[in-house]
Amino acid sequence: MIGAGGWPFASLACLAAWQCSREYVGLLQASGMASGMEPPSKLTSSTVTLFCVALNVWTAASRGRGSTPLAVAAFCLMFMQLVDAHKPRFAQLASTVFGLIYCGYLPSFWLRLRMLDVPAINSQLLHSWPVSLGGLSHVTVGLVATLTTVACVVGADTGAYFTGRAFGRTRLHSISPKKTVEGAAGGLVASVAVALASWRFLGWPSGPAQAAGLGALVFVSSVAGDLIESVIKRDAGLKDASNLIPGHGGLLDRLDSYLFTGACVYFLITAVLPGFGV
């Protein structure tokens, strides 16, 4: 899907936005979260999901524009709750708008990242990508950046898991007792190592310092995403967002490390790295 880009990749983002938003609404309706507050109605819940998917469709169709639709969707959602809820509270408004951003707007940055159509990567490895796996006609910053970012998240999670199991002693944060400082250090090293490998073998970013900065940013944003979802589940009184994947929880549990990462890397490339890191 990443290799194909375009609407195939956008369809994947829309599917993720749909499922994650459903799981997020389920967390809002959990007994722990809804204590003392009226949970979102079916109409509000369905609207959150609809807007989350629509934001990704709009981003794909408009080639990366999504700020204005987000503001309009947030207004419509809050206005609907003012009319629909018996006694609307600020926490209700804030939680549903956060869900719109969390499960709809943030995933759309992966589409924007993939759309960075700067054909300046000279990578023999990617130019030889088999036609059966996507048929890359040209290699862009968006393609390499998306592949690298996903690989860095996987590296960060894997490095943190194995390092934490082997050497973990010091708790990283009270929100997630299983995360350790030692594991975080291993995750950071692994993420930076993956980014440096991208520089060495894929030709992007253009230097080792930029690659190390990218790897560090991906690590921090992935850990933050994981911890933020842990806060939501803790208040909801649930261990997992859903039971969609037996033994692994819901899709939101699998993608929490990716939600903020796409936006952070997109900002790094477009606003910090000179020449989009080429």
Side-chain angles (χ1 to χ4, degrees):
M1 289 296 187
I2 295 177
W7 282 106
F9 188 53
S11 298
L12 185 64
C14 290
L15 180 62
W18 181 83
Q19 180 61 29
C20 287
S21 64
R22 298 308 302 160
E23 293 177 357
Y24 176 80
V25 169
L27 291 172
L28 293 184
Q29 295 173 337
S31 58
M33 188 78 74
S35 179
M37 180 180 69
E38 182 182 353
S41 66
K42 289 185 177 180
L43 177 61
T44 300
S45 302
S46 299
T47 303
V48 170
T49 299
L50 174 64
F51 282 163
C52 284
V53 175
L55 284 174
N56 286 270
V57 173
W58 176 269
T59 299
S62 64
R63 300 296 298 175
R65 299 171 184 170
S67 299
T68 300
L70 172 65
V72 173
F75 166 74
C76 292
L77 193 57
M78 289 188 289
F79 182 79
M80 176 181 296
Q81 289 182 94
L82 291 176
V83 176
D84 186 44
H86 178 61
K87 290 183 178 181
R89 297 175 57 181
F90 174 72
Q92 290 174 297
L93 303 179
S95 60
T96 50
V97 172
F98 176 78
L100 186 66
I101 296 172
Y102 190 54
C103 301
Y105 191 54
L106 289 179
S108 73
F109 276 95
W110 282 96
L111 300 180
R112 301 180 193 209
L113 183 63
R114 181 62 181 85
M115 289 176 187
L116 292 176
D117 197 22
V118 181
I121 303 299
N122 184 20
S123 170
Q124 185 62 35
L125 179 62
L126 283 179
H127 278 296
S128 62
W129 189 294
V131 175
S132 61
L133 296 180
L136 305 182
S137 58
H138 66 286
V139 179
T140 64
V141 168
L143 170 63
V144 181
T146 304
L147 289 171
T148 301
T149 302
V150 171
C152 284
V153 174
V154 174
D157 288 345
T158 304
Y161 175 76
F162 285 106
T163 306
R165 285 196 63 179
F167 307 105
R169 297 293 183 274
T170 309
R171 180 184 295 183
L172 178 66
H173 200 291
S174 59
I175 295 174
S176 184
K178 293 184 179 181
K179 293 188 182 302
T180 64
V181 174
E182 294 81 5
L188 175 60
V189 171
S191 181
V192 171
V194 170
L196 288 171
S198 175
W199 159 70
R200 176 65 178 82
F201 297 106
L202 302 183
W204 186 90
S206 59
Q210 293 180 340
L214 171 70
L217 177 65
V218 170
F219 167 74
V220 171
S221 57
S222 66
V223 171
D226 194 339
L227 292 176
I228 287 171
E229 200 224 357
S230 294
V231 172
I232 299 172
K233 291 190 295 185
R234 182 187 64 182
D235 282 2
L238 297 175
K239 179 183 177 182
D240 297 316
S242 76
N243 58 358
L244 177 69
I245 309 173
H248 295 278
L251 189 63
L252 192 59
D253 299 310
R254 299 298 94 200
L255 298 183
D256 54 1
S257 299
Y258 293 84
L259 291 177
F260 290 94
T261 305
C264 290
V265 172
Y266 179 82
F267 176 79
L268 175 70
I269 295 173
T270 58
V272 178
L273 294 183
F276 293 92
V278 176

